[in-house]
Amino acid sequence: MIGGEGGRRLVDRAFRATLTGLYRPDGVRCPIVLYHGVTESGGPWGVTPACFRRQIEWLSRTFDLFTLHGAVSRWRDGTLPSNPAVVTFDDGLRSTVENALPVLEEYGVPATHYLVPGLFGEPFEGARVMDRGDVSALVARGHEIGAHTMTHPDLTAVDRRTARREIAESRDAIAAITGEKPTSFAYPYGAFDDTVTDLVREAGYETATTVIGSDIVDFTAPFTLSRITIMRQHDLSAVKSLINGDRRWQRMIDEVTARPL
């Protein structure tokens, strides 16, 4: 065992080498936040309207906000601003139209909504799903519509034929309403594997989002885009911490590894 100052320097050098290789995500800082319902009552996935308003107000002041398609397009042509972010919603719940849409319009925020066409107008996990008219209202207001399968199965738990049908039929059902095939897909329950990503790519989607929490998004890997899930338990302070988490961790690594021995 090496003691004293020489030992400290040896341990310090090893620690820095570990940190340097441990966590350095690829991509750009573009937090993609994920909401489900916006409602006073409900389970852990729905945020209250008051919390949602505070969070959207902060996001609109802090970031340049895009739909996912808009952010990807700007990244591809080299015009993505230095502080972009994206707001997304999964499941297409009616509370999104009732409670979230007025706030989004007030602050001029476009969003990407991942819908489950086979559940339109039906109850889902204790909440009501929007209908075709609601989808048309979102499109008319400049929001992006993405697909989230037809019936919300775990695509890694069904056979390949079923997964292919869920992915393709949701694409076609949305196109029948909007007049355009959706370019983005969200994996139900965040569950995916190589087979599922291949099926999504084969169906003609350009991007797919996960629930891998990170504010760093690797647009060169478009079928595994990270998102930060916002839940009922998250107040504005917690949301800020979630969105800034990777940046603070990376800053700590950079500061530690830059110090002289």
Side-chain angles (χ1 to χ4, degrees):
M1 177 180 294
I2 303 175
E5 183 64 17
R8 187 197 67 77
R9 288 175 177 271
L10 183 62
V11 171
D12 193 33
R13 186 176 296 111
F15 176 65
R16 293 170 191 234
T18 301
L19 280 180
T20 300
L22 178 64
Y23 183 76
R24 194 164 295 277
D26 294 322
V28 298
R29 184 170 191 251
C30 179
I32 304 174
V33 297
L34 162 60
Y35 290 97
H36 289 83
V38 179
T39 177
E40 292 289 354
S41 60
W45 300 103
V47 302
T48 67
C51 282
F52 181 76
R53 174 178 289 278
R54 286 192 290 271
Q55 292 163 11
I56 292 298
E57 191 276 332
W58 175 75
L59 286 166
S60 68
R61 284 191 294 104
T62 308
F63 296 94
D64 293 312
L65 295 171
F66 299 89
T67 63
L68 184 61
H69 180 74
V72 172
S73 297
R74 295 286 294 270
W75 172 79
R76 284 173 175 164
D77 65 22
T79 63
L80 188 67
S82 61
N83 212 25
V86 176
V87 175
T88 69
F89 295 85
D90 277 11
D91 302 339
L93 302 182
R94 184 78 178 86
S95 65
T96 302
V97 177
E98 294 174 336
N99 300 324
L101 184 57
V103 176
L104 295 171
E105 287 196 289
E106 179 180 345
Y107 290 99
V109 177
T112 298
H113 304 259
Y114 293 103
L115 308 185
V116 187
L119 300 180
F120 282 166
E122 300 294 330
F124 176 66
E125 296 185 353
R128 174 74 52 179
V129 177
M130 67 177 68
D131 59 26
R132 293 170 62 97
D134 296 323
V135 179
S136 297
L138 290 172
V139 173
R141 288 164 173 78
H143 292 248
E144 178 185 9
I145 305 300
H148 199 37
T149 71
M150 283 299 290
T151 63
H152 206 277
D154 176 346
L155 293 174
T156 66
V158 299
D159 60 75
R160 186 184 182 94
R161 183 176 181 179
T162 300
R164 177 182 284 112
R165 183 175 65 249
E166 287 276 348
I167 293 166
E169 289 185 2
S170 59
R171 174 203 62 201
D172 295 340
I174 289 170
I177 301 172
T178 66
E180 296 181 352
K181 289 184 179 180
T183 61
S184 190
F185 184 87
Y187 304 109
Y189 307 107
F192 67 96
D193 55 23
D194 289 343
T195 296
V196 172
T197 57
D198 286 345
L199 291 174
V200 171
R201 184 183 296 104
E202 290 169 9
Y205 296 95
E206 298 176 6
T207 61
T209 56
T210 70
V211 293
I212 299 170
S214 176
D215 66 332
I216 306 299
V217 177
D218 185 0
F219 288 121
T220 67
F223 293 96
T224 54
L225 299 179
S226 57
R227 287 191 296 174
I228 298 168
T229 303
I230 309 300
M231 302 177 68
R232 182 172 293 270
Q233 70 192 54
H234 297 135
D235 59 11
L236 180 56
S237 176
V239 169
K240 291 178 180 180
S241 294
L242 287 169
I243 290 175
N244 290 326
D246 282 350
R247 186 170 49 155
R248 292 201 314 273
W249 173 241
Q250 191 61 62
R251 186 184 302 125
M252 183 202 75
I253 294 173
D254 291 341
E255 289 175 353
V256 170
T257 56
R259 292 172 192 161
L261 287 171

